[in-house]
Amino acid sequence: MAAQFGRRLRKGAVTTAVAAAAVAALSASQAPGATVDDHGRSTAADAQPSPDATAGDSGATGNSPYYTDLPPLNTPSPAPTDGTSTVSPVESEAGIPATVLDAYKKAAAELQGAKPGCNLPWQLLAAIGQVESGQARGGRVDADGTTTSKILGPQLDGNGFELIKDTDNGAYDGDTAYDSAVGPMQFIPSTWAWAGRDGNGDGVKDPNNVYDAALATGHYLCRNGWDLSDSGDLDSAILSYNPSRHYVNTVLSWLEYYRKGTHEIPDGTGTVPGNRSDGGTGGGSATSPSSPSTPSAPHPSKPSRPGSPSPTPPSTTPPPSGTPTTPPPAPPVTPTQSVDHLEDSGTAKLTAIAGDAFTEQISTKAENAAGKGVAKVRIRFTIVGDTDAAFTGGEKVATALTNSSGVATAPALQAGETTGAFTVRATLIGRTVTGPDYTATVTQRVADTLVRTSDTALTCTPGGQFADAVQVKASYKDAVADKVAATATLIKSADEATENDKGPYFKDADGKTVRTLTGLTTDADGLLKLPQLYSDDTTGTFVLRVTTAGGATLDVTLTVAAAETSASPSPSPSASS
C-alpha cells in the first residue's frame, strides 16, 4: 500500500489541517476495526475475513479480486461534460459516468420506496461499483446500460481463488467447469440466480446491465433488516458482499469520498483503477480494450495475508528514442456521442386539471448534426418548478430510450393539487447538448353541472330557521367533480345577482349575519352541504345562488312565510225550548 500512497501524494499536497479534518470525518464513518492513513483514507487494519462473516462464506462475488485504489486526496471541481473537452485523470476519478450514475440513483430511489427502513444511499452503490469494476470500466455501457463487453472475474478454480464449480452451465460466464464473477457489480452466477433484478424494465435480469446490477446490489445490501444509516449494519452489509476487512475499508473510503461530492461525466470517459487485490492491474483508459488474458473488471477477492508486501505494479519502460509507435485505435463513436441536439417531437399543449392525468405525453427527438434521428440513446426528463405534479409512479425524474426514429416519449404526467405552470426539461444522458424545455400547466378543478340532492321545498317562518339544509352535487363531464371550489350567495333575484340585504342568511363563527359564503369545496363524492339557514322577519320568496369553478351555477328558491292558522268555529246557538 505504501507504493500507492506515494503515488497518490504526488497528485497534490494537502495541508495538515485538511488532512486532520479528513481523518476525523472518515474515522467517524469507519466500521469497527478500520484504520486510516495520514490523509484520512481507509487502510487494511485486518486483511483477514471479519469474524462477522460465516466461515467459508464467499459473499456476493465469490471473493473475486477487487480494485484497491483509494480515492484522490481532494475532490476536484466538476469536469466539463460537453463531450469534447479533455478530462484529467483526477477529474475522471471524481466523476461517475452518466448512465452508471443514473442507474445508482434510480436503484436507491426504488429501494427507498420498497425498503425505506434500509436507508440505502446511492453513494454506497457507487463505492461498490468503483471497487468492483471501476464504474463499469469507466462507463463503457450502451444506452440501455449494458456493458459493451462482458466484465468477467478470473476462473474460480481454487488456484489462488475460491473454488466454485459451475452453477449456470456457462450461461453468464461462458465457462461450464467453474464460475466467474460477472458484470459491473461482480455477482457470481449462483448469487445472481436469487439476487438478480430487472432494473431497466426490459423484462430481463442481466448481470451485465448496470441498471439490473445496481438494483440487485441494493436489494442484496438491504436484506436481513439492515439499516445502512447504522454503522454496525452498514459494516455487516458490506462484509456480506465480500468478507474482507480490507474490502470494507476500501468501500467506506469511496463512500465517504462520494458523499463529499461528485459529478456526472460522459459515458466512456472514466478511468479504470490500476491496482487489484490479487496483484493484477486493470488500469488505463476506459476506451482501451482490456487484454483477453486479464480480467476486464475487478471483483471482491481474497485479500493477501497480513504483513505480506503490497503488490507493486509492473514498471513500464518507454521505447527507445526514434522507435516508431503505433497509436491506439480511435474508440468507436457511440450513438450518444453522435447526438448534436435534442428537439421537441410534436408535443401537444400540456394542460391538466388538478388531480387529473395529462392526456398528452412529452416526446423528444435526438438528432445528429445532419438532422437525422439517433436511436438507442437515453433521454432524461426532469420536472422543474414549484409543483407537486409527477410522472407515473410519483417520480420527479424519468428516463426513456429513443426509438429507431430517434424519438423518446416520457411517461405520463400526473397533475397534483398545486395549480400553475411548471417545466419539464429534457437532457441527454451521457453528454451535455442543447435540449428543449416543456411548459405544463395545472388548472383548478372545475364543475359544469350542479344539482340539488333533494326536491324538498325549503321554507321558513319569519325570524325562524329552515328545517332542511341545502345540499348540492357537482359533476364535470358526467363524472364526480371532487375538491371543486364553490361560492354560495343570497342574491336579490335571479336577474339581479347582487347580495341581498334582507331575508334568509347564514351565521359566521361569531353568530353574525352572513349572506355570502366563500372558500367552499366539494367533497370526494362531489357533494357540498351548506350550513344552517336562518331568516329575519321579512317574508317573501328569495334566491340562493351556488356557483363553482368552471362556471356551474344553481339557483335555489327559499320561501319565508307566516305560519298558517286555522279559524276557531263559531259556537252553535242554543236550541230554544
Side-chain angles (χ1 to χ4, degrees):
M1 299 303 292
Q4 292 183 46
F5 291 166
R7 179 172 61 85
R8 293 291 184 181
L9 286 170
R10 287 194 293 273
K11 288 190 174 181
V14 292
T15 64
T16 302
V18 171
V23 171
L26 187 56
S27 296
S29 71
Q30 297 298 316
T35 61
V36 294
D37 67 9
D38 292 338
H39 302 286
R41 298 170 304 176
S42 174
T43 61
D46 175 11
Q48 293 300 312
S50 165
D52 294 341
T54 302
D57 179 14
S58 58
T61 65
N63 280 347
S64 298
Y66 58 91
Y67 287 129
T68 59
D69 291 32
L70 293 172
L73 296 177
N74 295 312
T75 302
S77 301
T81 57
D82 58 6
T84 58
S85 59
T86 300
V87 182
S88 74
V90 174
E91 289 172 332
S92 193
E93 285 186 85
I96 299 176
T99 298
V100 180
L101 179 60
D102 185 60
Y104 296 150
K105 290 185 176 181
K106 184 177 179 181
E110 184 164 332
L111 265 298
Q112 182 58 37
K115 298 180 180 179
C118 177
N119 294 305
L120 170 71
W122 66 260
Q123 292 92 340
L124 177 57
L125 299 178
I128 291 176
Q130 172 67 18
V131 171
E132 293 297 339
S133 66
Q135 311 300 8
R137 291 193 309 230
R140 293 175 64 190
V141 296
D142 63 19
D144 293 312
T146 302
T147 57
T148 54
S149 59
K150 287 188 177 181
I151 301 176
L152 296 176
Q155 188 181 58
L156 299 174
D157 58 2
N159 184 20
F161 301 104
E162 193 85 8
L163 173 59
I164 303 179
K165 293 187 177 181
D166 176 64
T167 61
D168 65 333
N169 199 29
Y172 293 120
D173 53 21
D175 188 342
T176 57
Y178 300 97
D179 275 346
S180 294
V182 182
M185 303 305 267
Q186 289 293 275
F187 280 95
I188 53 175
S190 57
T191 302
W192 184 261
W194 61 265
R197 294 292 191 278
D198 176 17
N200 63 349
D202 63 357
V204 178
K205 299 175 183 178
D206 182 3
N208 298 294
N209 182 278
V210 69
Y211 287 95
D212 295 358
L215 184 59
T217 300
H219 279 280
Y220 188 94
L221 296 170
C222 286
R223 72 197 195 286
N224 298 332
W226 283 323
D227 177 0
L228 302 184
S229 65
D230 176 84
S231 60
D233 283 359
L234 176 63
D235 188 65
S236 296
I238 302 173
L239 278 170
S240 78
Y241 209 85
N242 185 312
S244 157
R245 175 58 56 190
H246 179 266
Y247 178 85
V248 172
N249 294 345
T250 306
V251 169
L252 288 173
S253 294
W254 282 103
L255 171 61
E256 180 68 19
Y257 180 71
Y258 287 137
R259 276 177 165 164
K260 291 178 180 178
T262 185
H263 56 277
E264 178 181 293
I265 61 174
D267 289 343
T269 63
T271 55
V272 180
N275 300 279
R276 284 194 340 215
S277 58
D278 63 345
T281 60
S285 169
T287 58
S288 299
S290 54
S291 169
S293 61
T294 301
S296 51
H299 319 285
S301 90
K302 279 190 174 180
S304 57
R305 296 285 180 182
S308 61
S310 300
T312 303
S315 61
T316 58
T317 303
S321 177
T323 301
T325 58
T326 302
V333 177
T334 66
T336 300
Q337 291 170 326
S338 68
V339 176
D340 177 73
H341 61 277
L342 304 178
E343 64 177 36
D344 178 31
S345 182
T347 304
K349 185 177 181 180
L350 298 166
T351 303
I353 295 173
D356 289 354
F358 285 77
T359 57
E360 300 294 337
Q361 289 178 255
I362 296 172
S363 292
T364 301
K365 186 174 184 180
E367 292 187 347
N368 59 23
K372 184 178 179 180
V374 181
K376 287 197 170 184
V377 296
R378 194 170 293 275
I379 308 297
R380 179 187 294 123
F381 299 94
T382 305
I383 295 175
V384 181
D386 184 14
T387 180
D388 53 356
F391 292 110
T392 301
E395 298 293 332
K396 292 291 186 180
V397 179
T399 59
L401 200 66
T402 58
N403 60 20
S404 59
S405 299
V407 176
T409 302
L413 280 167
Q414 176 70 37
E417 295 302 322
T418 303
T419 59
F422 64 92
T423 298
V424 178
R425 181 160 298 151
T427 55
L428 177 69
I429 293 178
R431 286 188 61 218
T432 300
V433 299
T434 302
D437 282 352
Y438 300 85
T439 299
T441 304
V442 179
T443 60
Q444 63 181 336
R445 295 172 182 260
V446 296
D448 55 16
T449 305
L450 277 175
V451 296
R452 276 192 66 198
T453 59
S454 170
D455 57 4
T456 303
L458 297 167
T459 62
C460 177
T461 57
Q465 66 182 40
F466 288 81
D468 298 303
V470 177
Q471 180 172 276
V472 299
K473 184 171 184 177
S475 60
Y476 179 70
K477 295 182 178 180
D478 297 325
V480 168
D482 61 323
K483 299 181 182 180
V484 177
T487 301
T489 305
L490 290 151
I491 60 177
K492 291 185 176 180
S493 69
D495 298 325
E496 188 176 353
T498 56
E499 182 181 283
N500 209 339
D501 57 359
K502 56 186 177 181
Y505 61 89
F506 301 103
K507 290 182 180 180
D508 64 13
D510 297 324
K512 296 180 180 179
T513 298
V514 175
R515 289 191 168 91
T516 297
L517 297 177
T518 59
L520 304 174
T521 306
T522 60
D523 65 13
D525 297 318
L527 298 175
L528 174 63
K529 186 175 183 179
L530 299 180
Q532 178 68 54
L533 273 165
Y534 304 87
S535 180
D536 60 18
D537 294 333
T538 308
T539 59
T541 300
F542 302 90
V543 178
L544 169 65
R545 176 164 290 175
V546 182
T547 59
T548 68
T553 301
L554 175 67
D555 286 348
V556 180
T557 300
L558 307 174
T559 302
V560 179
E564 293 184 3
T565 58
S566 56
S568 300
S570 300
S572 301
S574 301
S576 43
S577 52

